[in-house]
Amino acid sequence: MNAVWEKFCTDLLDAGNILQDEIVPQDPLTQAEGVRYLSRLLRYATINCVEYTDPRWPSFTSAPNPNMRTKIGADNPDNVYLRANISGRHTYRITGTRGNVPLLTFGSRVNRYHIDGTMLQTGDLHGHDLPVDEHGRFSFIASVDKPAEGAWLPLAPDSNLISVRQTYQDRVNETAAELSIECLHPEGEFTPLTPERIGARLTAAVGNVSGTAKTFLEWSRKFRPRANEIVDWGQDFFQNAGGDPTIFYLHGYWKLAEDEVWVIETEVPDCEYFNFVLQNFWVESLDYHRTTVYINNHTAKLNDDGTLTIVVAAKDPGYGNWLDTDGHREGTFAMRWIKADAHPIPTSRVVKAQDA
C-alpha cells in the first residue's frame, strides 16, 4: 500500500477513538450521529486542508454548510459561513455584492483547533462599516499594515484564516452577499505536488478532524453536569474558540425523559438578532430542514408582555414556542444575543408533560 495513504488511514482510525470517551453516550442514536459527525469533519477538513491550501491563491469555501450538512461547533442554522486560508505575510482584497442579509461580519483569525482548540482573534470588520456603491458592491483590504484609505480588516503576522458570517432573519426574502478574495502580490513560483506535500496536507486534515472533535467534546464535558440550566460561562471561553465579538453566547446541555418538558423564559433585549438552537451531543444543530428545532427573532412568538417562552419536548405541549427534541433524550443548546443592549440570562425548569 502507498505509505502516504496508509499513514492517513491509520491516523484517521485513531481519530475515531473519541466515540468511546467516557462522557459520550453509548446509545445507538448518539453513536450513529458521532460516526456521521466524523465523516462531516473529514469532508470539511479535506476541502480546507488538502485543497485551497496556498495562501497566495485563496478562495472562499464553505465552513459549516447547511446544503452539505456540515455542522461544527454550535452552527447557527441562520448563518452562511465562509472561510479562506490566508497568511499575514500577504495583502488581500475582498470584493463583493452586499445583498440584503441583515448581518455580515469578517474576522481574521489564527486557527489552532488542531493544536489546542482555540481560534485567536486578530481583527474584525462588520458590514455596517463597509462603503457600498450604488450597485451594492464593496471592496476592502485585509493586511497587517493599515491602507491609506478605505475599509480594512486587520491581520496579524500569524493570521492564517479569514472567516465570514452572514446571518439571515428570513431566508425566503433575504439575499446573502457574494464574495471573492485575491492576494495582491502572490510572489513565488508554482511547485508541483509531491508525496511529501500531499502527506503533510493529509496529516493536517486528520489533525483538523481530531482537534475539532476534541474541542467540542470538551464543551459537552463542561456543560453536562449542569444539564437544563442556562449559565453564562464567561464570554472569553467562546471568543477564544472563534466567536464573533458582537455576540453574547449562552451554551449548555439539556437532558429530558420522554414525558418531561423543559420550559425556558426570558426577557428579550433590544437587539439586531437572537436565536435559540437545539443541538445533539456533538454540538451540531438538530435537523432544522425537517422539523422545528430553533427559533429566531423573526419566527419567535412573544408573550403579551414582550417576554419569550420556549418549550423543549418530544411532543408539542400546546403553548410557548415548541422545539422538537427529534428523537433525542439529551444534547447541547446555543442561545445568541447579537448587538444587544442587555444580555438577560433566561430562567428554566423541567416539568412533567401533564403538568406543563
Side-chain angles (χ1 to χ4, degrees), residues 5 32 111 124 135 172 221 234 241 273 275 293 296 327 340-341:
W5 183 254
N111 185 357
D124 287 280
H135 304 294
V172 174
R221 196 188 310 277
Y273 172 92
N275 77 350
V293 299
N296 66 18
D341 66 350

Side-chain angles (χ1 to χ4, degrees), residues 145-341:
D145 297 321
K146 186 175 182 178
E149 58 183 9
W152 175 51
L153 174 63
L155 304 181
D158 55 349
S159 296
N160 59 11
L161 175 70
I162 291 176
S163 64
V164 185
R165 282 182 174 88
Q166 302 189 62
T167 305
Y168 289 98
Q169 293 181 13
D170 178 5
R171 278 184 179 266
V172 174
N173 296 305
E174 294 167 353
T175 303
E178 295 183 1
L179 305 172
S180 63
I181 181 172
E182 63 173 325
C183 180
L184 295 186
H185 304 288
E187 300 167 349
E189 298 294 325
F190 170 79
T191 55
L193 193 64
T194 64
E196 292 75 20
R197 289 175 63 200
I198 190 61
R201 292 182 188 182
L202 289 170
T203 296
V206 175
N208 187 283
V209 172
S210 180
T212 302
K214 288 177 181 177
T215 292
F216 296 107
L217 176 69
E218 294 309 311
W219 283 31
S220 289
R221 196 188 310 277
K222 180 182 182 71
F223 304 150
R224 195 182 190 197
R226 299 188 67 175
N228 305 322
E229 295 183 46
I230 301 181
V231 177
D232 178 8
W233 299 96
Q235 294 304 297
D236 287 349
F237 181 78
F238 306 116
Q239 298 301 330
N240 290 340
D244 186 321
T246 68
I247 303 177
F248 186 89
Y249 294 95
L250 293 165
H251 291 277
Y253 203 92
W254 63 274
K255 187 172 185 178
L256 297 171
E258 184 70 21
D259 63 344
E260 289 182 328
V261 177
W262 186 29
V263 182
I264 301 160
E265 296 175 309
T266 184
E267 296 179 352
V268 178
D270 183 9
C271 61
E272 292 195 12
Y273 172 92
F274 71 79
N275 77 350
F276 186 100
V277 186
L278 277 188
Q279 303 160 170
N280 63 15
F281 174 87
W282 305 104
V283 201
E284 298 179 297
S285 62
L286 300 185
D287 191 357
Y288 52 84
H289 290 279
R290 185 172 48 79
T291 190
T292 302
V293 299
Y294 85 102
I295 56 169
N296 66 18
N297 54 303
H298 177 72
T299 60
K301 296 179 180 179
L302 300 184
N303 301 320
D304 291 342
D305 62 358
T307 61
L308 174 68
T309 300
I310 302 168
V311 289
V312 176
K315 296 180 181 179
D316 187 354
Y319 73 99
N321 294 268
W322 173 52
L323 299 184
D324 186 355
T325 56
D326 196 28
H328 296 73
R329 293 290 182 87
E330 61 187 295
T332 56
F333 68 85
M335 190 170 195
R336 300 166 175 88
W337 304 120
I338 299 185
K339 297 183 180 179
D341 66 350

